[in-house]
Amino acid sequence: TTRDAQRTLQLTDEAVAVSTKHSFELGLSWATVLQGWALAEQGREEGLRKLTQGLSAVAATGASLNNTFTLALLAEIYLRHNRIDEGLGAIEDAQKLATTWGELFWQAELFRLKGELLLRQSDQSVHTAEQCLCEALKVAQHQNARMLELRAATSLARLWKKLNKVDEAKRILHSVCSRFTEGVDNRDLIEAKTVLEQLRG
């Protein structure tokens, strides 16, 4: 969940090689999904194509585990490319799977991404988006998923800043950031601290 694209690429290259050598069909499919995500994170054109190719390959094996996570990766890339309807479609598919199979470990991120996608969709979606981000935060807190809580709090704080709820934004983001120890810096925490500094102005 640290979203380290470079490290992911290194590991998936190894996974692809091993899975190909030993004909591990599912392993190759998962590795292709993550490889595609990492390439897309780096802004490389083939990333989205490889990610969707990997998802199709996973589906062909009949595997159901972790599909909510991989569909969230897809939605995140669609968000980056401003392909809002496709992103919302991926989230809807993931939420159906979560309900059907009880795969709820990535539920907070699904709500967060849905909120972010709705914010890009139209100004009329702001209230629904805010509800999604609040739900993302609540679910992450309930599951003690600290990194997902951090992402949700950052997204919500950004929105609240735009809605002139600066005090609420500062309070929630400071509360979450303060629980991370010194020296633990990753992309999500750096982003959260940046938003908090902007709020403190």
Side-chain angles (χ1 to χ4, degrees), residues 9-103:
L9 270 184
Q10 291 168 357
L11 294 171
T12 52
D13 283 346
E14 292 173 27
V16 166
V18 171
S19 297
T20 303
K21 182 180 177 183
H22 298 286
S23 300
F24 296 152
E25 196 178 334
L26 184 56
L28 179 59
S29 303
W30 284 124
T32 303
V33 168
L34 293 171
Q35 198 174 54
W37 169 82
L39 289 168
E41 278 286 295
Q42 294 183 337
R44 290 161 68 176
E45 286 292 323
E46 71 268 32
L48 183 56
R49 178 184 53 78
K50 196 173 272 275
L51 200 164
T52 52
Q53 187 181 69
L55 282 171
S56 296
V58 169
T61 69
S64 60
L65 188 66
N66 284 338
N67 281 341
T68 53
F69 169 71
T70 49
L71 284 166
L73 293 181
L74 179 62
E76 189 178 7
I77 299 304
Y78 278 141
L79 174 64
R80 185 163 294 116
H81 287 275
N82 222 33
R83 291 165 64 169
I84 305 306
D85 289 345
E86 288 161 295
L88 288 169
I91 292 297
E92 189 179 343
D93 289 344
Q95 288 180 323
K96 281 179 188 169
L97 281 172
T99 304
T100 304
W101 297 101
E103 190 179 288

Side-chain angles (χ1 to χ4, degrees), residues 154 157-158 173 190-200:
T154 304
R158 270 206 207 91
L173 199 51
I190 290 166
E191 198 175 317
K193 287 177 175 177
T194 302
V195 172
L196 189 55
E197 285 304 312
Q198 291 167 352
L199 287 165
R200 286 168 174 164

